[in-house]
Amino acid sequence: MRYYTYFPGCSSSEGGAKAYGWSTQAVSKVLDIELIELDDWNCCGSTPYSSIEELASFCLSARNLALAEKRGLDLVTPCSSCYVILNRTNSHLKEYPQLKAKVDEALAAGGLEYHGTVRVRHLLDVFVNDIGYDEIRAKVKINLGGLKVAPYYGCQMVRPRPSFDHPENPQSLDKLIAGLGGEPVPFPLKSRCCGGSLIISEEALALELIRKIFDSALSNGAECLVTPCPLCQTNLDAYQSRVNHKFKANFNLPVLFFTQLMGVAFGLSDEDLGLKTCIVPTERVLAKYL
Amino acid sequence: MEKRTRADTFVEEISASPGGEGICLCIQCGTCTASCPNADRMDHTPSQLIAMARAGMKEEVLSSNAMWHCLSCYLCTVRCPRGIKQTDLMHALECLAIREGLSSGRTRTPAMYRSFNDFVYSLGSLPEFGFMTWFYMLTNPLRAFRMIPVALSLLRHGRLSIKARRLTPEGTSQLKAILDKAESLGGAS
């Protein structure tokens, strides 16, 4: 059994990506991973805080990191935005002593201190590097039999800091899909942006970016997409009908969390994985495996 | 005596923010602009923005819509041959624009960020439904109306929680104490 401190993030805990949280826990159990949720964590602040209230954004992250440091385990999150923001705080606190002094002072007001020792990991990193592809393959009960999957990494899991995969042409999700018996299709836009939170304030711009991603996936024969990011999943799934409407297109591409696809291959039930929360129905492509 | 220009002061202000210091290293190669998925929507491209800032065009830079179209996808950052943290630089410009009251009126992104932050500040977590409704009502109630189909499909699939996740009372007051202290310390620079 491996133990980690777990940071679900707002979306995957009680937000729109609940099913990501459920499937993360269900798949981790199969892989003998125990994810222990960080007590009383707060929102990481995501892009909005870091854009307009920098110091406060570092403090939001630092509170979580300080709480996690008391446990001494790696801090694992399934959310790409939480991942980039928490890591950014870690590296900026090391790089900018003046910033660290201010953050320390703010933390002290809450009776906390942070020494910079917490390693922040993405769930996918833990799966492919701590557990490994072979062990994951060994848990497969239902081979995905050549299901054509577009691995959509999105941006914030692979950039900006050198991490566990290439910043522009990542491979970990491709290998994982292949290990489940699926066929990862070539996907040039695999790490391009889906529009992120600008889908709310500048919808037209984001819909255009999403359309390009669907075009790329579909022209390479994908039957569905998988992603390790709650925001990417929501944008591609919940806004697919708006893309169709705006561009007079008829995309009908299910968008799954990578953990949901793993769960299907592990023989887990629909309820454990929350497949019914997907807005574009998944039955058409997954029925034969369930 | 050393003569200080308008350009020096603005560049120093930017450089004082974490990530902003790279502005002096730019060689105007345009890699950031070529990599940006949104450069065509910006009134000034990322590389132009740097050139303008270095020329001391403070008001033009801070009232630009460019940084508000930054998606934080970090493609520019990983490609910059000079190692400039371009995305952080955009965030630094956003912070300065807010501080100087110059943020662009041609985009609703600043208002969206503000609404997001207000919820996180008061609750410690982000209730997506409340935040989005609040933002649309604040900026464009008609848009709230047009969003009903998306909201309904999320609701039907069990993805719309009305209730916000709450921290413990101790956690809430601890977070408030930290954020209020941060506020009193000014910006990150």
Side-chain angles (χ1 to χ4, degrees):
Chain A
M1 187 69 100
R2 292 169 195 267
Y3 299 90
Y4 300 88
T5 302
Y6 179 54
F7 188 86
C10 299
S11 222
S12 316
S13 63
E14 289 170 42
K18 288 182 192 75
Y20 195 17
W22 301 335
S23 53
T24 291
Q25 291 288 3
V27 167
S28 297
K29 214 168 147 191
V30 175
L31 295 172
D32 277 333
I33 294 174
E34 181 149 349
L35 300 173
I36 311 149
E37 186 167 332
L38 182 65
D39 283 331
D40 226 12
W41 55 272
N42 57 265
C43 169
C44 73
S46 198
T47 305
Y49 246 103
S50 58
S51 293
I52 61 173
E53 292 180 75
E54 277 208 295
L55 181 60
S57 92
F58 291 118
C59 294
L60 278 165
S61 291
R63 176 176 177 272
N64 292 319
L65 292 167
L67 295 176
E69 196 169 49
K70 294 182 185 169
R71 290 243 188 104
L73 299 168
D74 284 358
L75 183 64
V76 177
T77 177
C79 172
S80 301
S81 184
C82 298
Y83 175 69
V84 84
I85 294 285
L86 293 168
N87 260 322
R88 176 175 185 265
T89 302
N90 251 346
S91 65
H92 275 44
L93 290 179
K94 288 196 177 83
E95 202 175 332
Y96 302 100
Q98 255 179 309
L99 173 70
K100 184 170 188 317
K102 284 191 176 186
V103 170
D104 283 347
E105 200 176 334
L107 279 181
L112 289 173
E113 45 186 69
Y114 179 52
H115 307 283
T117 62
V118 176
R119 203 151 70 113
V120 179
R121 316 269 309 272
H122 195 283
L123 182 72
L124 180 63
D125 175 20
V126 167
F127 282 1
V128 303
N129 291 314
D130 292 9
I131 304 300
Y133 299 103
D134 291 339
E135 205 157 314
I136 292 172
R137 198 178 298 123
K139 303 281 182 193
V140 172
K141 286 192 180 142
I142 302 165
N143 189 291
L144 295 181
L147 176 71
K148 292 192 159 126
V149 184
Y152 181 56
Y153 297 77
C155 29
Q156 298 192 332
M157 186 183 70
V158 288
R159 294 191 292 270
R161 268 159 288 281
S163 65
F164 63 98
D165 212 336
H166 191 275
E168 291 196 49
N169 187 18
Q171 297 298 324
S172 49
L173 210 45
D174 292 64
K175 288 190 214 158
L176 181 72
I177 292 164
L180 305 174
E183 182 189 331
V185 303
F187 189 22
L189 299 194
K190 57 164 70 163
S191 70
R192 287 310 187 103
C193 184
C194 70
S197 61
L198 263 62
I199 192 105
I200 301 167
S201 55
E202 297 287 340
E203 188 181 305
L205 161 171
L207 294 182
E208 172 77 37
L209 296 173
I210 298 171
R211 181 185 65 85
K212 289 182 188 162
I213 290 163
F214 287 150
D215 272 340
S216 171
L218 203 60
S219 64
N220 285 294
E223 295 169 79
C224 64
L225 290 99
V226 296
T227 176
C229 173
L231 197 51
C232 293
Q233 200 281 342
T234 306
N235 281 3
L236 267 53
D237 190 20
Y239 286 82
Q240 198 166 130
S241 60
R242 288 179 89 86
V243 172
N244 284 338
H245 183 256
K246 187 174 168 72
F247 299 103
K248 302 195 175 19
N250 51 1
F251 295 114
N252 183 19
L253 284 165
V255 186
L256 302 164
F257 293 109
F258 79 101
T259 43
Q260 290 177 313
L261 192 70
M262 287 175 79
V264 170
F266 289 174
L268 299 177
S269 74
D270 195 346
E271 291 80 61
D272 281 339
L273 305 173
L275 293 173
K276 298 248 177 337
T277 66
C278 291
I279 296 188
V280 176
T282 58
E283 290 84 2
R284 191 172 48 85
V285 295
L286 294 182
K288 54 185 163 186
Y289 310 112
L290 289 167
Chain B
M1 202 179 99
E2 195 190 346
K3 197 175 165 207
R4 296 173 53 76
T5 64
R6 227 164 86 91
D8 288 337
T9 348
F10 187 36
V11 166
E12 277 164 23
E13 261 183 286
I14 297 170
S15 301
S17 299
E21 68 284 348
I23 193 165
C24 300
L25 302 172
C26 176
I27 51 170
Q28 287 291 304
C29 68
T31 301
C32 49
T33 298
S35 306
C36 180
N38 266 347
D40 58 342
R41 306 227 176 212
M42 297 175 173
D43 52 8
H44 307 292
T45 65
S47 35
Q48 276 172 353
L49 216 55
I50 292 183
M52 289 162 67
R54 296 203 298 201
M57 298 164 73
K58 183 171 177 172
E59 273 184 36
E60 292 87 338
V61 169
L62 294 186
S63 58
S64 165
N65 72 3
M67 52 275 197
W68 302 107
H69 280 86
C70 169
L71 297 156
S72 302
C73 79
Y74 295 96
L75 201 52
C76 49
T77 304
V78 295
R79 287 181 176 176
C80 176
R82 300 287 286 152
I84 300 170
K85 298 181 190 116
Q86 183 71 256
T87 307
D88 285 347
L89 184 60
M90 287 299 208
H91 290 166
L93 294 177
E94 286 168 320
C95 288
L96 282 173
I98 296 271
R99 201 183 309 161
E100 305 276 331
L102 287 169
S103 61
S104 172
R106 284 162 297 149
T107 162
R108 299 197 174 102
T109 305
M112 186 265 286
Y113 287 169
R114 181 82 273 146
S115 314
F116 182 104
N117 295 2
D118 287 347
F119 273 97
V120 173
Y121 172 79
S122 35
L123 298 172
S125 71
L126 184 80
E128 290 153 356
F129 178 70
F131 147 63
M132 286 174 73
T133 312
W134 177 247
F135 165 71
Y136 290 131
M137 295 315 281
L138 216 59
T139 55
N140 185 358
L142 196 66
R143 182 83 202 286
F145 191 70
R146 282 181 30 221
M147 287 308 291
I148 290 175
V150 173
L152 280 179
S153 69
L154 286 166
L155 188 69
R156 263 203 311 276
H157 291 84
R159 293 177 62 160
L160 207 58
S161 307
I162 312 289
K163 219 174 113 244
R165 171 184 166 266
R166 294 283 186 158
L167 273 65
T168 62
E170 300 77 49
T172 308
S173 52
Q174 182 183 53
L175 183 64
K176 278 230 158 60
I178 293 171
L179 292 178
D180 289 342
K181 185 72 192 176
E183 172 86 37
S184 76
L185 293 171
S189 47

